[in-house]
Amino acid sequence: MGLRQKQKAARERRILQAAVTKFRADGYHSVRIDDLASMAEVSVGTIYNYYRNKADILIATVAMEVEEVLVAGEKVVAAPPNGVENAVLTLIYGYYDHSLHYLSKEMWRSAMALSIEAADTPNGQRYTELDARLAQQVK
């Protein structure tokens, strides 16, 4: 990965980290794009280079969280506890614990509604694909 790609990835990571922090602390609906730009130390225009709107940012934060959950779930699937019930519960509780630590219930409710409304956006499609991967992992 070249320097330009690393810088771009770092900016995007800062934007998403700012979003998670601000959405969780102040509530999704109260946060403005200006707030995220300030916290991520980027311009408002830079945020719009990465995301179409605040809803797109929220869906991206959820997608980032789901990717982390999938990685953690792979470890459970690779070395499951004894018994099917224990294995499934370990997987599901892992999802639940990580998800609520990372995102608030309000963020999840908003993201689920937005992913349905914005199903045709890149992050809406990403969310749908990740949701399918979660279901496949449980199976």
Side-chain angles (χ1 to χ4, degrees), residues 39-52:
M39 186 171 205
E41 298 179 339
V42 299
S43 70
V44 169
T46 297
I47 289 182
Y48 285 112
N49 286 336
Y50 290 87
Y51 304 100
R52 292 172 29 173

Side-chain angles (χ1 to χ4, degrees), residues 12-24 28 31 36 51 53-69 98-99 102-104 106-108 110-112 114 123-124 126-127 130:
E12 185 171 17
R13 192 171 41 256
R14 285 197 320 268
I15 292 166
L16 293 178
Q17 287 171 341
V20 168
T21 300
K22 292 297 283 178
F23 292 161
R24 192 161 177 75
Y28 167 74
V31 175
L36 300 178
Y51 304 100
N53 52 38
K54 188 169 74 167
D56 202 26
I57 297 169
L58 178 61
I59 293 170
T61 63
V62 169
M64 183 174 66
E65 190 277 333
V66 171
E67 287 174 349
E68 291 177 11
V69 164
H98 187 278
S99 296
Y102 200 89
L103 305 171
S104 69
E106 187 248 354
M107 290 168 69
W108 274 109
S110 296
M112 289 171 70
L114 292 168
N123 279 315
R126 183 175 170 207
Y127 181 88
L130 289 168

